[in-house]
């Protein structure tokens, strides 16, 4: 997200190229992780996915808590590495005006990462670039709308996990499931990035927010509660849909065998 937004100097509204780049990166990243650690831990990565396995009775409460703690801690460590990688991006912003930005910085970067002094017109007190991608609800929508959007995005993700990786008669097979899951994440980002930044994972929201707070950014953003409630609500809805409607529905293979 940081790299994609640094490529151009437009206003604060994400451009199509940025949204597509962010979505592809997240989708491919999740697929790679699922392939890499799926056989070790199940590749949950997301507390909302772990929550689904908990309420389905496939994990004990203790195991689910340990998974979630590991996910939040991993997000925190990842955000620290991200900060170490991009901290120098705002060098050209500090003490400069919009007209004198240098060192490869651009107006979008400086406006999103620094405070613009109203008297001097200079960018001051620069924090982590783009707040390390901290999720924030767009001013164009209400927080209730953001909750619904994040719920639906998480529903799509968790439902895909259950149908592609858990269902005993899924059509994708275990080797293809990470691709479907990555595509669901990419789809959610294509739709939600302009609205909420696309959380759909409380750990992903938590890591950048805490690290950005440590290094001077205001992480108490508008609608922060959405990112820690909607994913679990979406996970619950997806799990209930799977258990009540889809889990025991006869598949095409079952029909063929019956014939």
């Amino acid at each position: 997200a940081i790299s994609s937004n640094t490529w151009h100097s437009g206003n604060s509204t994400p451009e199509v190229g940025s949204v597509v780049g962010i979505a592809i990166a997240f989708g491919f990243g999740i697929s790679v992780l699922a392939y890499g650690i799926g056989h070790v831990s199940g590749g949950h990565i997301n507390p909302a996915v772990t929550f689904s396995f908990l309420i389905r009775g496939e994990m004990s409460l203790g195991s689910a808590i340990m998974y979630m703690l590991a996910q939040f801690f991993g997000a925190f460590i990842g955000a620290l590495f991200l900060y170490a990688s991009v901290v120098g991006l705002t060098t050209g912003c500090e003490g400069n005006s919009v007209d004198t930005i240098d060192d490869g910085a651009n107006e979008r970067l400086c406006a999103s990462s620094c405070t613009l002094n109203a008297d001097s017109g200079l960018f001051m007190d620069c924090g982590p670039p783009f707040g390390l991608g901290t999720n924030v609800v767009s001013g164009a929508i209400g927080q209730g709308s953001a909750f619904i959007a994040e719920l639906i995005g998480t529903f799509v993700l968790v439902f895909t996990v259950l149908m592609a990786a858990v269902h005993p008669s899924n059509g994708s097979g275990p080797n293809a499931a990470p691709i479907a899951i990555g595509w669901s994440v990419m789809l959610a980002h294509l739709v939600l990035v302009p609205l909420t930044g696309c959380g759909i994972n409380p750990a992903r929201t938590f890591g950048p927010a805490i690290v950005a707070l440590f290094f001077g950014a205001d992480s108490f953003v508008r609608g922060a509660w959405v990112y820690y409630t909607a994913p679990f609500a979406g996970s619950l809805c997806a799990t209930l849909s799977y258990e009540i409607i889809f889990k025991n529905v006869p598949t095409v293979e079952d029909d063929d065998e019956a014939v």
Side-chain angles (χ1 to χ4, degrees):
I2 293 174
S3 296
S4 184
N5 276 286
T6 306
W7 290 336
H8 58 80
S9 58
N11 58 28
S12 59
T13 304
E15 295 184 358
V16 173
S18 289
V19 174
V20 172
I22 293 167
I24 291 175
F26 268 99
F28 280 18
I30 293 299
S31 289
V32 169
L33 283 172
Y35 275 120
I37 65 174
H39 61 290
V40 176
S41 64
H44 291 192
I45 306 167
N46 185 338
V49 173
T50 299
F51 181 65
S52 174
F53 280 76
L54 172 64
I55 59 180
R56 291 183 61 247
E58 293 197 10
M59 296 185 74
S60 67
L61 178 60
S63 294
I65 291 174
M66 292 301 294
Y67 265 59
M68 291 183 189
L69 288 176
Q71 290 154 1
F72 280 103
F73 181 70
F76 172 73
I77 297 300
L80 281 177
F81 278 111
L82 175 61
Y83 176 74
S85 301
V86 302
V87 62
L89 289 178
T90 55
T91 302
C93 302
E94 191 84 34
N96 290 309
S97 67
V98 173
D99 298 324
T100 60
I101 295 171
D102 58 12
D103 290 339
N106 61 47
E107 182 180 350
R108 177 193 292 273
L109 168 64
C110 297
S112 300
S113 312
C114 310
T115 300
L116 182 62
N117 188 290
D119 297 325
S120 65
L122 302 178
F123 290 109
M124 309 293 291
D125 301 324
C126 294
F130 295 108
L132 298 181
T134 300
N135 291 123
V136 59
V137 175
S138 168
I141 64 172
Q143 295 184 40
S145 297
F147 179 89
I148 296 299
E150 286 286 317
L151 184 154
I152 294 173
T154 312
F155 178 98
V156 171
L157 167 59
V158 176
F159 185 75
T160 302
V161 170
L162 294 174
M163 294 301 290
V166 175
H167 195 287
S169 301
N170 70 78
S172 62
N175 292 329
I179 298 176
I181 295 167
W183 283 351
S184 73
V185 172
M186 181 172 65
L187 173 62
H189 279 77
L190 285 171
V191 176
L192 296 182
V193 164
L195 303 178
T196 65
C198 193
I200 67 172
N201 181 339
R204 173 263 180 270
T205 300
F206 174 83
I210 293 300
V211 174
L213 180 64
F214 284 167
F215 292 102
D218 181 8
S219 298
F220 297 100
V221 296
R222 175 175 181 265
W225 64 274
V226 168
Y227 304 102
Y228 301 102
T229 55
F232 292 108
S235 176
L236 175 62
C237 292
T239 304
L240 291 176
S241 297
Y242 172 79
E243 289 289 333
I244 296 173
I245 302 174
F246 294 97
K247 182 178 180 179
N248 297 313
V249 171
T251 63
V252 174
E253 289 80 4
D254 294 333
D255 292 339
D256 291 342
E257 289 177 2
V259 173

